[in-house]
Amino acid sequence: MNRFTFPLTLLLALLFSSISLGSTPPYSDDPKKLQISKTFGKLPLRFEKNEGQTDKQVKFISRGNGYNMYLTPTEAVMVLSRTTGGSKKTDPMNPESLMKTPDDIKTESSVIRMQLIGSNPDPKIYGQEKQVTKSNYLIGNDKSKWRTGVTNFGKVRYEEVYPGIDLVFYGNQQKLEYDFVVKPGADPKVINFEFDGEESIVVDWDGNLRLETKVGEIVEKAPIIYQKENGKRKSIEGKYVLAENKVSFKLDEYDNEKELVIDPVLEFSTYLGGVGNERFGRIVVGSSGNIYVGGSVQSVNFPTLNAFQNSFGGGTSHGDAFVSKFDSSGALVFSTY
């Protein structure tokens, strides 16, 4: 999805961005816009199982505002993008103004790889929390290469990336999380990872991990570390340790006979769309708190649910129209071309 074709972050007015490019919520005093922000923030991330729509090394794909993430057996690859230019003013509530793309738009991209050092090169990888949405890829004229009904999941688990340690990716539309789940008796000191593609990496005074890239800064919050005790979380003190661009964790004392969770958090903006261009013409809040989004779409894998039309119809110029409905809890109720 080309992020420069519509002001999605502006329309949804979310508070967080994983790439710190200075965005601010312009509708902070509008109750309806705050309700939209809150509702969209609850939406779970979608992890698409790779069923032939991309390189076979990739097991799952997740797409966000300004990035695509590809999960392989040995690394997580984030393709980040940023746009500059776009001096032409648009009105987010005027569909006609959103149909025109400024001529001075430029797009920059950067590839960041997170690799686990000394990990299991062939862990068992599978999706968890199967979603009701499906993705469809109808690209080109060769129907044998089309992929329809691609399964979406809310989580992806890597079993035994290190002895007795699993890695789980999940999140919602305001944050990406990846948990290292350390089973009783396992040693968290073996967890060691590095990034490739960044220009610099530091741990700041607040314990956050900051990666500078050519398209902006990525911030991973100081890790949340805990164990369960009588059904409640017990916090464990710990921090990132950075040595020669390699990252590990230093933990205070904990109960080695209980499961331990190390949970870094990466925050970012919301996302609704596919691999092509989407133009949002209107967002409306209903009397019961439901949210309706409408516009035009050129993506062949736009998420559909209970749809009148499940696949891209090949609309020319600005593509097909689309309508999506979310309930007040943030769940997708209806989405159709």
Side-chain angles (χ1 to χ4, degrees):
M1 182 176 70
N2 297 327
R3 272 66 185 186
F4 55 82
T5 59
F6 64 92
L8 177 57
T9 306
L10 174 66
L11 282 171
L12 302 182
L14 290 178
L15 303 178
F16 303 107
S17 177
S18 61
I19 308 172
S20 302
L21 303 178
S23 59
T24 58
Y27 299 126
S28 58
D29 59 345
D30 188 326
K32 286 191 175 181
K33 298 302 186 297
L34 290 175
Q35 183 179 355
I36 290 172
S37 173
K38 183 178 179 180
T39 299
F40 271 84
K42 297 176 184 176
L43 290 173
L45 287 182
R46 294 187 300 125
F47 293 89
E48 297 178 7
K49 185 178 181 180
N50 183 12
E51 298 179 3
Q53 70 269 33
T54 190
D55 188 278
K56 63 182 181 180
Q57 294 183 67
V58 177
K59 302 304 180 183
F60 288 89
I61 310 166
S62 184
R63 307 180 192 280
N65 185 43
Y67 80 90
N68 288 341
M69 182 170 68
Y70 303 89
L71 300 179
T72 79
T74 58
E75 62 183 2
V77 182
M78 293 187 69
V79 181
L80 310 172
S81 63
R82 178 179 68 175
T83 59
T84 58
S87 57
K88 186 171 185 176
K89 294 183 178 180
T90 59
D91 177 1
M93 293 306 172
N94 181 355
E96 292 300 322
S97 73
L98 296 176
M99 296 303 159
K100 299 178 182 179
T101 302
D103 296 329
D104 60 340
I105 287 291
K106 294 182 180 180
T107 303
E108 299 176 287
S109 62
S110 183
V111 178
I112 303 296
R113 300 174 182 271
M114 187 184 85
Q115 301 168 325
L116 297 180
I117 301 171
S119 65
N120 177 5
D122 189 26
K124 183 179 179 181
I125 306 173
Y126 56 91
Q128 296 179 309
E129 297 184 3
K130 187 176 180 180
Q131 305 292 293
V132 293
T133 53
K134 302 287 185 181
S135 301
N136 300 290
Y137 290 79
L138 286 72
I139 301 175
N141 296 323
D142 185 353
K143 292 185 178 181
S144 68
K145 296 181 180 179
W146 291 2
R147 297 293 179 266
T148 59
V150 176
T151 308
N152 291 187
F153 294 91
K155 292 183 176 182
V156 174
R157 179 176 288 268
Y158 287 60
E159 281 192 359
E160 296 286 322
V161 289
Y162 294 105
I165 300 176
D166 292 354
L167 174 61
V168 183
F169 287 90
Y170 64 102
N172 59 35
Q173 297 298 337
Q174 290 180 340
K175 59 185 178 181
L176 166 68
E177 301 187 50
Y178 57 96
D179 289 0
F180 290 101
V181 181
V182 183
K183 299 172 186 176
D187 184 4
K189 293 180 182 178
V190 301
I191 301 172
N192 208 311
F193 54 98
E194 63 183 347
F195 293 92
D196 179 59
E198 85 287 353
E199 296 184 351
S200 67
I201 179 172
V202 297
V203 177
D204 67 19
W205 289 105
D206 294 319
N208 303 316
L209 190 66
R210 294 182 175 272
L211 286 78
E212 188 68 35
T213 79
K214 65 180 182 180
V215 299
E217 185 180 57
I218 300 174
V219 179
E220 293 201 20
K221 296 292 187 178
I224 299 169
I225 306 171
Y226 64 91
Q227 292 183 300
K228 290 288 185 70
E229 190 173 282
N230 298 323
K232 296 182 179 180
R233 286 189 179 188
K234 178 184 178 182
S235 296
I236 306 296
E237 292 296 320
K239 61 182 181 180
Y240 294 114
V241 175
L242 181 62
E244 298 180 353
N245 286 345
K246 295 178 175 60
V247 182
S248 58
F249 300 100
K250 183 177 180 180
L251 280 62
D252 284 357
E253 291 186 5
Y254 67 95
D255 189 343
N256 191 46
E257 296 182 357
K258 294 180 179 178
E259 182 178 270
L260 175 78
V261 177
I262 304 173
D263 177 12
V265 178
L266 189 153
E267 294 178 337
F268 55 92
S269 296
T270 194
Y271 171 84
L272 171 69
V275 296
N277 298 336
E278 285 79 37
R279 295 176 173 86
F280 284 71
R282 181 72 71 177
I283 298 179
V284 177
V285 181
S287 59
S288 59
N290 295 324
I291 292 178
Y292 302 84
V293 184
S296 66
V297 56
Q298 293 176 324
S299 295
V300 295
N301 70 327
F302 191 81
T304 59
L305 178 65
N306 300 321
F308 173 77
Q309 177 182 321
N310 282 295
S311 59
F312 182 62
T316 58
S317 182
H318 301 303
D320 289 7
F322 80 87
V323 177
S324 299
K325 173 184 176 182
F326 301 84
D327 67 20
S328 59
S329 72
L332 184 63
V333 176
F334 172 86
S335 186
T336 186
Y337 287 95

